[in-house]
Amino acid sequence: MTSHLSTVPTNLLADHCQYGWHPWPFFWIFPLLFWIVVIVGLVRLARRGGFRDSGIGTLRSSFARGEISEDDYLSRLEVLRRTRRGTRP
């Protein structure tokens, strides 16, 4: 009985890998590729500025281009900071 039980895992592996095709490399290649894509995507998003507050970033850009005055910038910045903290005007 013991000899029969020890051959069961070997037979299961042999049946799984018939016709000379062995799937084992794919079990670690695809998860590895998945995590590489996720990490590269997060790094690119962080470098592009995707994690910045877009409202304040847009306001800064408008002020830097000279589209709004300093008084407008400061008043709008205060509104954005208040709404971000959760207090509505």
Side-chain angles (χ1 to χ4, degrees):
M1 184 75 170
T2 306
S3 64
H4 175 68
L5 289 178
S6 64
T7 60
V8 170
T10 308
N11 288 339
L12 287 175
L13 288 175
D15 289 341
H16 184 68
C17 297
Q18 62 185 356
Y19 308 116
W21 184 75
H22 302 284
W24 287 290
F26 298 107
F27 288 131
W28 64 269
I29 289 174
F30 286 123
L32 181 67
L33 288 175
F34 170 78
W35 286 112
I36 287 173
V37 167
V38 167
I39 290 169
V40 167
L42 289 173
V43 167
R44 290 187 74 187
L45 185 65
R47 284 187 180 174
R48 191 179 67 192
F51 293 122
R52 279 190 246 151
D53 187 4
S54 62
I56 293 176
T58 303
L59 184 62
R60 286 180 182 161
S61 297
S62 297
F63 180 62
R65 286 190 300 264
E67 296 174 354
I68 59 174
S69 68
E70 184 177 1
D71 293 332
D72 287 339
Y73 171 75
L74 293 174
S75 65
R76 292 177 186 186
L77 182 63
E78 180 60 34
V79 169
L80 287 174
R81 286 183 177 162
R82 265 192 311 208
T83 56
R84 187 173 57 178
R85 279 186 245 137
T87 58
R88 302 278 178 198

Coordinates of all heavy atoms in Angstrom, one line a residue:
M1 N 0.8 -1.2 0.0 CA 0.0 0.0 0.0 C 0.9 1.2 0.0 O 0.5 2.2 -0.6 CB -0.9 0.0 1.2 CG -1.9 1.1 1.3 SD -3.2 0.8 0.1 CE -4.3 2.0 0.5
T2 N 2.0 1.2 0.7 CA 2.8 2.4 0.8 C 3.5 2.7 -0.6 O 3.6 3.8 -1.0 CB 3.9 2.1 1.8 OG1 3.3 1.8 3.0 CG2 4.8 3.4 2.0
S3 N 3.8 1.7 -1.3 CA 4.4 1.9 -2.6 C 3.4 2.5 -3.6 O 3.8 3.4 -4.4 CB 5.0 0.6 -3.2 OG 3.9 -0.3 -3.4
H4 N 2.2 2.2 -3.5 CA 1.1 2.8 -4.3 C 0.9 4.3 -4.0 O 0.8 5.1 -4.9 CB -0.2 2.0 -4.2 CG -1.3 2.7 -4.9 ND1 -1.3 2.7 -6.3 CD2 -2.4 3.3 -4.5 CE1 -2.4 3.3 -6.7 NE2 -3.1 3.7 -5.6
L5 N 1.0 4.6 -2.7 CA 0.8 6.0 -2.3 C 2.0 6.9 -2.8 O 1.8 8.1 -3.1 CB 0.6 6.2 -0.8 CG -0.8 5.6 -0.3 CD1 -0.8 5.8 1.2 CD2 -1.9 6.4 -0.9
S6 N 3.1 6.4 -2.8 CA 4.3 7.2 -3.2 C 4.3 7.4 -4.7 O 5.0 8.3 -5.1 CB 5.6 6.5 -2.7 OG 5.7 5.3 -3.3
T7 N 3.7 6.6 -5.5 CA 3.7 6.8 -6.9 C 2.6 7.7 -7.4 O 2.6 8.2 -8.5 CB 3.6 5.5 -7.6 OG1 2.4 4.9 -7.3 CG2 4.8 4.6 -7.3
V8 N 1.6 8.0 -6.5 CA 0.5 8.9 -6.9 C 1.0 10.3 -7.3 O 0.6 10.8 -8.4 CB -0.6 8.9 -5.8 CG1 -1.6 10.0 -6.1 CG2 -1.2 7.6 -5.7
P9 N 1.8 11.0 -6.5 CA 2.2 12.3 -7.0 C 3.0 12.3 -8.2 O 2.9 13.1 -9.1 CB 3.1 12.8 -5.8 CG 2.6 12.0 -4.6 CD 2.2 10.7 -5.1
T10 N 3.8 11.3 -8.4 CA 4.6 11.1 -9.6 C 3.7 10.9 -10.8 O 4.0 11.5 -11.9 CB 5.6 10.0 -9.5 OG1 6.4 10.1 -8.3 CG2 6.6 9.9 -10.7
N11 N 2.7 10.1 -10.7 CA 1.8 9.9 -11.8 C 1.0 11.1 -12.1 O 0.7 11.4 -13.3 CB 0.9 8.7 -11.5 CG 1.6 7.4 -11.5 OD1 2.6 7.2 -12.1 ND2 1.0 6.4 -10.8
L12 N 0.6 11.9 -11.1 CA -0.1 13.1 -11.4 C 0.7 14.1 -12.1 O 0.3 14.8 -13.1 CB -0.6 13.7 -10.1 CG -1.8 13.0 -9.4 CD1 -2.1 13.7 -8.0 CD2 -3.0 13.0 -10.2
L13 N 2.0 14.2 -11.8 CA 2.9 15.1 -12.5 C 3.1 14.7 -13.9 O 3.2 15.4 -14.8 CB 4.2 15.3 -11.7 CG 4.1 16.1 -10.4 CD1 5.5 16.1 -9.7 CD2 3.7 17.5 -10.7
A14 N 3.3 13.4 -14.1 CA 3.5 12.8 -15.4 C 2.3 13.0 -16.3 O 2.4 13.3 -17.5 CB 3.9 11.3 -15.3
D15 N 1.1 12.8 -15.7 CA -0.1 13.0 -16.5 C -0.3 14.5 -16.9 O -0.8 14.9 -17.9 CB -1.3 12.6 -15.8 CG -1.4 11.0 -15.7 OD1 -0.7 10.4 -16.5 OD2 -2.1 10.5 -14.8
H16 N 0.1 15.4 -16.0 CA 0.0 16.8 -16.2 C 0.9 17.3 -17.3 O 0.6 18.3 -18.0 CB 0.2 17.6 -14.9 CG 0.0 19.0 -15.0 ND1 -1.2 19.6 -15.2 CD2 0.9 20.1 -15.0 CE1 -1.2 20.9 -15.3 NE2 0.1 21.2 -15.1
C17 N 2.1 16.7 -17.5 CA 3.1 17.2 -18.4 C 3.2 16.3 -19.6 O 4.3 16.0 -20.1 CB 4.4 17.3 -17.7 SG 4.4 18.5 -16.4
Q18 N 2.1 15.8 -20.1 CA 2.2 14.9 -21.3 C 2.5 15.7 -22.5 O 2.3 16.9 -22.6 CB 1.0 14.1 -21.4 CG -0.3 14.9 -21.6 CD -1.5 14.0 -21.6 OE1 -1.4 12.8 -21.5 NE2 -2.7 14.6 -21.7
Y19 N 2.9 15.0 -23.5 CA 3.3 15.6 -24.8 C 4.5 16.5 -24.8 O 4.7 17.4 -25.6 CB 2.1 16.3 -25.5 CG 0.8 15.5 -25.5 CD1 -0.3 15.9 -24.8 CD2 0.8 14.3 -26.3 CE1 -1.4 15.1 -24.8 CE2 -0.4 13.6 -26.3 CZ -1.5 13.9 -25.6 OH -2.6 13.2 -25.6
G20 N 5.3 16.5 -23.7 CA 6.5 17.2 -23.7 C 6.4 18.7 -23.3 O 7.3 19.4 -23.4
W21 N 5.2 19.1 -23.0 CA 5.0 20.6 -22.7 C 5.0 20.7 -21.2 O 4.2 20.1 -20.5 CB 3.7 21.1 -23.2 CG 3.4 22.5 -23.0 CD1 4.1 23.5 -23.6 CD2 2.6 23.1 -22.0 NE1 3.6 24.7 -23.2 CE2 2.7 24.5 -22.2 CE3 1.7 22.6 -21.1 CZ2 2.0 25.4 -21.4 CZ3 1.0 23.5 -20.3 CH2 1.2 24.9 -20.5
H22 N 5.8 21.5 -20.6 CA 6.0 21.7 -19.2 C 5.6 23.2 -18.9 O 6.3 24.1 -19.3 CB 7.4 21.4 -18.7 CG 7.8 20.0 -19.1 ND1 7.4 18.9 -18.4 CD2 8.6 19.6 -20.1 CE1 7.9 17.8 -18.9 NE2 8.7 18.2 -19.9
P23 N 4.5 23.4 -18.1 CA 4.0 24.7 -17.8 C 4.7 25.4 -16.7 O 4.5 26.6 -16.4 CB 2.6 24.5 -17.5 CG 2.5 23.2 -16.9 CD 3.6 22.4 -17.6
W24 N 5.7 24.8 -16.0 CA 6.3 25.4 -14.8 C 6.9 26.7 -15.0 O 6.7 27.6 -14.2 CB 7.2 24.4 -14.2 CG 6.5 23.3 -13.5 CD1 5.8 23.3 -12.4 CD2 6.5 21.9 -14.0 NE1 5.2 22.1 -12.1 CE2 5.7 21.2 -13.1 CE3 7.0 21.2 -15.1 CZ2 5.4 19.9 -13.2 CZ3 6.8 19.9 -15.2 CH2 6.0 19.2 -14.3
P25 N 7.6 27.0 -16.1 CA 8.2 28.4 -16.2 C 7.1 29.5 -16.2 O 7.4 30.6 -15.7 CB 9.0 28.4 -17.5 CG 9.2 26.9 -17.7 CD 8.1 26.2 -17.1
F26 N 6.0 29.2 -16.8 CA 4.9 30.2 -16.9 C 4.3 30.5 -15.5 O 3.7 31.6 -15.4 CB 3.9 29.7 -17.9 CG 4.4 29.5 -19.2 CD1 4.5 28.3 -19.8 CD2 4.8 30.6 -20.0 CE1 5.1 28.1 -21.0 CE2 5.3 30.4 -21.3 CZ 5.4 29.2 -21.8
F27 N 4.4 29.6 -14.6 CA 3.8 29.9 -13.3 C 4.6 31.0 -12.5 O 4.1 31.6 -11.6 CB 3.7 28.6 -12.4 CG 2.7 27.7 -12.9 CD1 3.0 26.3 -13.1 CD2 1.4 28.1 -13.1 CE1 2.0 25.5 -13.5 CE2 0.4 27.3 -13.6 CZ 0.7 25.9 -13.8
W28 N 5.8 31.2 -12.9 CA 6.6 32.3 -12.2 C 6.9 33.4 -13.2 O 7.1 34.6 -12.8 CB 7.9 31.8 -11.6 CG 8.9 31.2 -12.5 CD1 9.0 30.0 -12.9 CD2 9.9 32.0 -13.2 NE1 10.1 29.8 -13.8 CE2 10.6 31.1 -14.0 CE3 10.3 33.3 -13.2 CZ2 11.7 31.5 -14.7 CZ3 11.4 33.7 -14.0 CH2 12.1 32.8 -14.7
I29 N 6.8 33.2 -14.5 CA 7.1 34.3 -15.4 C 6.0 35.3 -15.5 O 6.2 36.5 -15.4 CB 7.4 33.7 -16.9 CG1 8.8 33.0 -16.8 CG2 7.4 34.8 -17.9 CD1 9.1 32.3 -18.1
F30 N 4.7 34.8 -15.6 CA 3.6 35.7 -15.7 C 3.4 36.6 -14.4 O 3.2 37.8 -14.6 CB 2.3 35.0 -16.1 CG 2.4 34.6 -17.6 CD1 2.2 33.2 -17.9 CD2 2.6 35.5 -18.6 CE1 2.3 32.9 -19.3 CE2 2.6 35.1 -19.9 CZ 2.5 33.8 -20.2
P31 N 3.4 36.0 -13.2 CA 3.3 36.9 -12.1 C 4.5 37.9 -12.0 O 4.3 39.0 -11.6 CB 3.4 35.9 -10.9 CG 2.9 34.6 -11.4 CD 3.4 34.6 -12.8
L32 N 5.7 37.4 -12.4 CA 6.8 38.4 -12.4 C 6.6 39.5 -13.4 O 6.8 40.7 -13.0 CB 8.1 37.6 -12.7 CG 9.4 38.4 -12.7 CD1 9.7 38.9 -11.3 CD2 10.5 37.6 -13.3
L33 N 6.1 39.2 -14.6 CA 5.8 40.2 -15.6 C 4.7 41.1 -15.1 O 4.8 42.4 -15.3 CB 5.5 39.6 -16.9 CG 6.6 38.9 -17.7 CD1 6.0 38.2 -18.9 CD2 7.7 39.9 -18.0
F34 N 3.7 40.6 -14.4 CA 2.6 41.4 -13.9 C 3.1 42.4 -12.9 O 2.8 43.6 -13.0 CB 1.6 40.5 -13.2 CG 0.5 41.3 -12.5 CD1 -0.5 41.9 -13.1 CD2 0.6 41.3 -11.1 CE1 -1.4 42.6 -12.4 CE2 -0.3 42.1 -10.4 CZ -1.4 42.7 -11.0
W35 N 4.0 42.0 -12.0 CA 4.5 42.9 -10.9 C 5.5 43.9 -11.5 O 5.5 45.1 -11.1 CB 5.1 42.2 -9.8 CG 4.0 41.6 -8.9 CD1 3.7 40.2 -8.8 CD2 3.0 42.3 -8.2 NE1 2.6 40.1 -8.0 CE2 2.2 41.3 -7.6 CE3 2.7 43.6 -7.9 CZ2 1.1 41.7 -6.8 CZ3 1.7 44.0 -7.1 CH2 0.9 43.0 -6.5
I36 N 6.2 43.5 -12.5 CA 7.1 44.5 -13.2 C 6.3 45.6 -13.9 O 6.6 46.8 -13.7 CB 8.0 43.8 -14.2 CG1 9.1 43.0 -13.5 CG2 8.7 44.8 -15.2 CD1 9.9 42.1 -14.3
V37 N 5.2 45.2 -14.5 CA 4.3 46.2 -15.2 C 3.7 47.1 -14.2 O 3.6 48.3 -14.4 CB 3.3 45.5 -16.1 CG1 2.2 46.4 -16.5 CG2 3.9 44.8 -17.3
V38 N 3.2 46.6 -13.0 CA 2.6 47.4 -12.0 C 3.6 48.4 -11.4 O 3.3 49.6 -11.3 CB 2.0 46.5 -10.9 CG1 1.6 47.3 -9.7 CG2 0.8 45.7 -11.4
I39 N 4.8 47.9 -11.1 CA 5.8 48.8 -10.5 C 6.3 49.9 -11.5 O 6.4 51.1 -11.1 CB 7.0 48.0 -10.0 CG1 6.6 47.1 -8.8 CG2 8.2 48.8 -9.6 CD1 7.6 46.1 -8.3
V40 N 6.5 49.5 -12.7 CA 6.9 50.5 -13.7 C 5.8 51.5 -13.9 O 6.0 52.7 -14.0 CB 7.3 49.8 -15.1 CG1 7.4 50.8 -16.2 CG2 8.6 49.0 -14.9
G41 N 4.5 51.1 -13.9 CA 3.4 52.0 -14.1 C 3.3 53.0 -12.9 O 3.1 54.2 -13.1
L42 N 3.5 52.5 -11.7 CA 3.5 53.4 -10.6 C 4.6 54.4 -10.6 O 4.4 55.6 -10.2 CB 3.5 52.6 -9.3 CG 2.2 51.8 -9.0 CD1 2.4 50.9 -7.7 CD2 1.1 52.7 -8.7
V43 N 5.8 53.9 -11.0 CA 6.9 54.9 -11.0 C 6.7 55.9 -12.1 O 6.9 57.1 -11.8 CB 8.2 54.1 -11.3 CG1 9.4 55.0 -11.7 CG2 8.6 53.2 -10.1
R44 N 6.2 55.5 -13.2 CA 5.9 56.5 -14.3 C 4.8 57.5 -13.9 O 4.9 58.7 -14.2 CB 5.5 55.8 -15.6 CG 6.7 55.1 -16.2 CD 6.4 54.5 -17.5 NE 6.3 55.7 -18.5 CZ 6.0 55.5 -19.7 NH1 5.6 54.4 -20.2 NH2 5.9 56.6 -20.5
L45 N 3.8 57.0 -13.2 CA 2.7 57.9 -12.7 C 3.3 58.9 -11.7 O 2.9 60.0 -11.7 CB 1.6 57.0 -12.1 CG 0.4 57.8 -11.6 CD1 -0.3 58.4 -12.8 CD2 -0.5 56.8 -10.9
A46 N 4.1 58.4 -10.8 CA 4.7 59.3 -9.8 C 5.6 60.3 -10.4 O 5.6 61.5 -10.0 CB 5.5 58.5 -8.7
R47 N 6.4 60.0 -11.4 CA 7.3 60.9 -12.1 C 6.5 61.9 -12.9 O 6.9 63.1 -13.0 CB 8.3 60.2 -13.0 CG 9.4 59.5 -12.2 CD 10.4 59.0 -13.2 NE 11.4 58.3 -12.4 CZ 12.4 57.6 -13.0 NH1 12.5 57.5 -14.3 NH2 13.3 57.1 -12.3
R48 N 5.4 61.5 -13.4 CA 4.6 62.4 -14.2 C 3.8 63.4 -13.3 O 3.4 64.4 -13.8 CB 3.7 61.6 -15.1 CG 3.0 62.5 -16.2 CD 2.1 61.7 -17.0 NE 1.0 61.2 -16.2 CZ 0.1 60.3 -16.5 NH1 0.2 59.7 -17.7 NH2 -0.9 60.0 -15.7
G49 N 3.7 63.1 -12.1 CA 3.0 64.0 -11.2 C 1.5 63.5 -11.0 O 0.7 64.3 -10.6
G50 N 1.2 62.3 -11.2 CA -0.1 61.8 -11.1 C -0.6 61.8 -9.6 O -1.8 61.7 -9.4
F51 N 0.3 61.8 -8.7 CA -0.1 61.8 -7.3 C -0.3 63.2 -6.7 O -0.6 63.3 -5.5 CB 0.9 61.0 -6.5 CG 0.9 59.6 -6.8 CD1 2.1 59.0 -7.2 CD2 -0.2 58.8 -6.7 CE1 2.1 57.6 -7.6 CE2 -0.2 57.5 -7.1 CZ 0.9 56.9 -7.5
R52 N 0.0 64.2 -7.4 CA -0.1 65.6 -6.9 C -1.6 66.0 -6.9 O -2.4 65.5 -7.7 CB 0.6 66.6 -7.8 CG 2.1 66.5 -7.5 CD 2.8 67.7 -8.2 NE 3.7 67.0 -9.1 CZ 4.1 67.6 -10.2 NH1 3.6 68.7 -10.6 NH2 4.9 66.9 -11.0
D53 N -1.9 67.0 -6.1 CA -3.3 67.5 -6.1 C -3.4 68.4 -7.3 O -2.8 69.4 -7.5 CB -3.4 68.4 -4.8 CG -4.9 68.8 -4.7 OD1 -5.7 68.4 -5.5 OD2 -5.1 69.6 -3.7
S54 N -4.3 67.9 -8.2 CA -4.4 68.6 -9.5 C -5.0 70.0 -9.4 O -4.7 70.8 -10.2 CB -5.3 67.7 -10.5 OG -6.6 67.6 -9.9
G55 N -5.9 70.2 -8.5 CA -6.5 71.6 -8.3 C -5.4 72.6 -8.0 O -5.3 73.7 -8.6
I56 N -4.6 72.3 -7.0 CA -3.5 73.2 -6.6 C -2.5 73.3 -7.7 O -1.9 74.4 -8.0 CB -3.0 72.8 -5.2 CG1 -4.0 73.0 -4.1 CG2 -1.7 73.6 -4.9 CD1 -3.6 72.5 -2.8
G57 N -2.2 72.2 -8.3 CA -1.2 72.2 -9.4 C -1.6 73.0 -10.6 O -0.8 73.8 -11.2
T58 N -2.9 73.0 -10.9 CA -3.5 73.8 -12.0 C -3.4 75.2 -11.6 O -3.1 76.1 -12.5 CB -4.9 73.3 -12.3 OG1 -4.9 72.0 -12.6 CG2 -5.5 74.1 -13.5
L59 N -3.8 75.5 -10.4 CA -3.7 76.9 -9.9 C -2.3 77.5 -10.0 O -2.1 78.6 -10.4 CB -4.3 77.0 -8.5 CG -4.4 78.4 -7.9 CD1 -5.4 79.2 -8.7 CD2 -4.9 78.3 -6.4
R60 N -1.3 76.7 -9.5 CA 0.1 77.1 -9.6 C 0.5 77.4 -11.0 O 1.2 78.4 -11.3 CB 1.0 76.1 -9.0 CG 0.9 76.1 -7.5 CD 1.8 75.0 -6.9 NE 1.6 75.0 -5.5 CZ 2.0 74.0 -4.7 NH1 2.5 72.9 -5.2 NH2 1.8 74.0 -3.4
S61 N 0.1 76.5 -11.9 CA 0.5 76.7 -13.3 C -0.2 78.0 -13.9 O 0.5 78.7 -14.7 CB 0.0 75.5 -14.2 OG 0.7 74.3 -13.7
S62 N -1.4 78.2 -13.6 CA -2.1 79.5 -14.1 C -1.4 80.7 -13.5 O -1.2 81.7 -14.3 CB -3.5 79.5 -13.6 OG -4.2 78.4 -14.2
F63 N -1.0 80.7 -12.3 CA -0.3 81.8 -11.7 C 1.1 82.0 -12.3 O 1.5 83.1 -12.6 CB -0.2 81.6 -10.2 CG 0.5 82.7 -9.5 CD1 0.0 84.0 -9.5 CD2 1.7 82.5 -8.8 CE1 0.6 85.1 -8.8 CE2 2.3 83.6 -8.1 CZ 1.8 84.8 -8.2
A64 N 1.8 80.9 -12.6 CA 3.1 80.9 -13.2 C 3.0 81.5 -14.6 O 4.0 82.2 -15.0 CB 3.8 79.5 -13.2
R65 N 2.0 81.2 -15.3 CA 1.8 81.7 -16.7 C 1.4 83.1 -16.7 O 1.3 83.7 -17.8 CB 0.8 80.8 -17.5 CG 1.4 79.5 -17.9 CD 0.5 78.7 -18.8 NE -0.8 78.5 -18.3 CZ -1.2 77.4 -17.7 NH1 -0.4 76.4 -17.5 NH2 -2.4 77.2 -17.2
G66 N 1.0 83.7 -15.6 CA 0.5 85.0 -15.5 C -1.0 85.2 -15.8 O -1.4 86.3 -16.1
E67 N -1.7 84.2 -15.8 CA -3.1 84.2 -16.2 C -4.0 84.8 -15.1 O -5.1 85.3 -15.3 CB -3.6 82.8 -16.6 CG -3.0 82.3 -17.8 CD -3.4 80.8 -18.0 OE1 -4.1 80.2 -17.2 OE2 -3.0 80.3 -19.1
I68 N -3.5 84.7 -13.8 CA -4.3 85.2 -12.7 C -3.3 86.1 -11.8 O -2.1 85.9 -11.9 CB -4.9 84.1 -11.8 CG1 -3.8 83.2 -11.3 CG2 -6.0 83.4 -12.6 CD1 -4.4 82.1 -10.3
S69 N -3.9 87.0 -11.1 CA -3.0 87.9 -10.2 C -2.7 87.2 -8.9 O -3.2 86.1 -8.6 CB -3.8 89.2 -9.9 OG -4.9 88.9 -9.1
E70 N -1.8 87.8 -8.2 CA -1.4 87.2 -6.9 C -2.6 87.1 -5.9 O -2.7 86.2 -5.2 CB -0.2 88.0 -6.3 CG 0.3 87.3 -5.0 CD 1.5 88.1 -4.5 OE1 1.9 89.1 -5.0 OE2 2.0 87.6 -3.4
D71 N -3.4 88.2 -5.9 CA -4.6 88.2 -5.0 C -5.5 87.0 -5.4 O -6.1 86.4 -4.5 CB -5.3 89.5 -5.1 CG -4.4 90.6 -4.5 OD1 -3.6 90.3 -3.6 OD2 -4.6 91.8 -4.9
D72 N -5.8 86.9 -6.7 CA -6.6 85.8 -7.1 C -6.0 84.4 -6.7 O -6.8 83.5 -6.3 CB -6.8 85.8 -8.6 CG -7.8 86.9 -9.1 OD1 -8.5 87.4 -8.3 OD2 -7.7 87.3 -10.3
Y73 N -4.7 84.3 -6.9 CA -4.1 83.0 -6.6 C -4.2 82.7 -5.1 O -4.6 81.6 -4.7 CB -2.6 83.1 -6.9 CG -1.8 82.0 -6.4 CD1 -1.8 80.7 -7.1 CD2 -0.9 82.1 -5.3 CE1 -1.1 79.6 -6.6 CE2 -0.2 81.0 -4.9 CZ -0.3 79.8 -5.5 OH 0.4 78.8 -5.0
L74 N -4.0 83.7 -4.3 CA -4.0 83.4 -2.8 C -5.5 83.1 -2.4 O -5.7 82.3 -1.5 CB -3.5 84.6 -2.0 CG -2.0 84.9 -2.2 CD1 -1.5 86.1 -1.5 CD2 -1.2 83.7 -1.7
S75 N -6.4 83.9 -2.9 CA -7.8 83.6 -2.5 C -8.3 82.2 -3.0 O -8.9 81.5 -2.2 CB -8.7 84.7 -3.0 OG -8.8 84.7 -4.4
R76 N -8.0 81.9 -4.2 CA -8.4 80.5 -4.7 C -7.6 79.4 -4.0 O -8.2 78.3 -3.7 CB -8.1 80.5 -6.2 CG -9.0 81.4 -7.0 CD -8.7 81.3 -8.5 NE -9.5 82.3 -9.2 CZ -9.5 82.4 -10.5 NH1 -8.7 81.6 -11.2 NH2 -10.2 83.3 -11.1
L77 N -6.4 79.7 -3.6 CA -5.6 78.7 -2.9 C -6.2 78.4 -1.5 O -6.3 77.3 -1.1 CB -4.1 79.1 -2.8 CG -3.2 78.2 -2.1 CD1 -3.1 76.9 -2.9 CD2 -1.8 78.8 -1.9
E78 N -6.6 79.5 -0.9 CA -7.3 79.3 0.4 C -8.6 78.5 0.3 O -8.9 77.7 1.1 CB -7.6 80.7 1.0 CG -8.2 80.7 2.4 CD -7.4 79.9 3.4 OE1 -6.1 80.0 3.4 OE2 -8.0 79.2 4.3
V79 N -9.3 78.8 -0.8 CA -10.6 78.0 -1.0 C -10.3 76.5 -1.2 O -10.9 75.6 -0.6 CB -11.4 78.6 -2.2 CG1 -12.5 77.7 -2.6 CG2 -11.9 80.0 -1.8
L80 N -9.3 76.2 -2.0 CA -8.9 74.8 -2.2 C -8.4 74.2 -1.0 O -8.7 73.0 -0.7 CB -7.8 74.8 -3.3 CG -8.3 75.1 -4.7 CD1 -7.1 75.1 -5.7 CD2 -9.3 74.0 -5.2
R81 N -7.6 74.8 -0.2 CA -7.1 74.2 1.1 C -8.3 74.0 2.1 O -8.3 73.0 2.8 CB -6.0 75.1 1.7 CG -4.8 75.0 0.9 CD -3.7 75.8 1.6 NE -2.4 75.7 0.8 CZ -1.4 76.5 0.9 NH1 -1.5 77.5 1.7 NH2 -0.3 76.3 0.2
R82 N -9.2 74.9 2.1 CA -10.4 74.7 3.0 C -11.2 73.6 2.6 O -11.6 72.8 3.4 CB -11.2 76.0 3.0 CG -10.9 77.0 4.1 CD -12.0 78.0 4.2 NE -12.2 78.5 2.9 CZ -12.7 79.7 2.6 NH1 -13.0 80.5 3.5 NH2 -12.8 80.1 1.3
T83 N -11.5 73.4 1.3 CA -12.3 72.4 0.8 C -11.6 71.0 1.0 O -12.3 70.0 1.1 CB -12.8 72.6 -0.6 OG1 -11.7 72.8 -1.4 CG2 -13.7 73.8 -0.7
R84 N -10.3 71.0 0.9 CA -9.6 69.8 1.0 C -9.6 69.3 2.5 O -9.6 68.1 2.7 CB -8.1 70.0 0.5 CG -7.4 68.7 0.5 CD -6.0 68.8 -0.1 NE -5.3 69.8 0.6 CZ -4.0 70.1 0.2 NH1 -3.4 69.5 -0.8 NH2 -3.4 71.0 0.9
R85 N -9.6 70.2 3.4 CA -9.7 69.8 4.8 C -11.0 69.4 5.2 O -11.2 68.9 6.3 CB -9.2 71.0 5.7 CG -7.7 71.2 5.8 CD -7.4 72.3 6.7 NE -6.7 73.3 6.0 CZ -6.9 74.6 6.1 NH1 -7.8 75.0 7.0 NH2 -6.3 75.5 5.4
G86 N -12.0 69.7 4.4 CA -13.4 69.2 4.7 C -14.3 70.3 5.2 O -15.4 70.1 5.4
T87 N -13.8 71.5 5.3 CA -14.7 72.6 5.7 C -15.2 73.4 4.5 O -14.4 73.9 3.7 CB -14.0 73.6 6.7 OG1 -12.8 74.1 6.0 CG2 -13.5 72.9 8.0
R88 N -16.4 73.4 4.3 CA -17.0 74.1 3.2 C -17.2 75.6 3.5 O -17.5 76.0 4.6 CB -18.4 73.5 2.8 CG -18.3 72.0 2.5 CD -17.9 71.8 1.1 NE -17.8 70.4 0.9 CZ -17.1 69.9 -0.1 NH1 -16.5 70.7 -0.9 NH2 -17.0 68.6 -0.3
P89 N -17.0 76.5 2.5 CA -17.2 77.9 2.7 C -18.6 78.3 3.0 O -19.6 77.6 2.7 CB -16.7 78.6 1.4 CG -16.6 77.5 0.4 CD -16.6 76.2 1.1

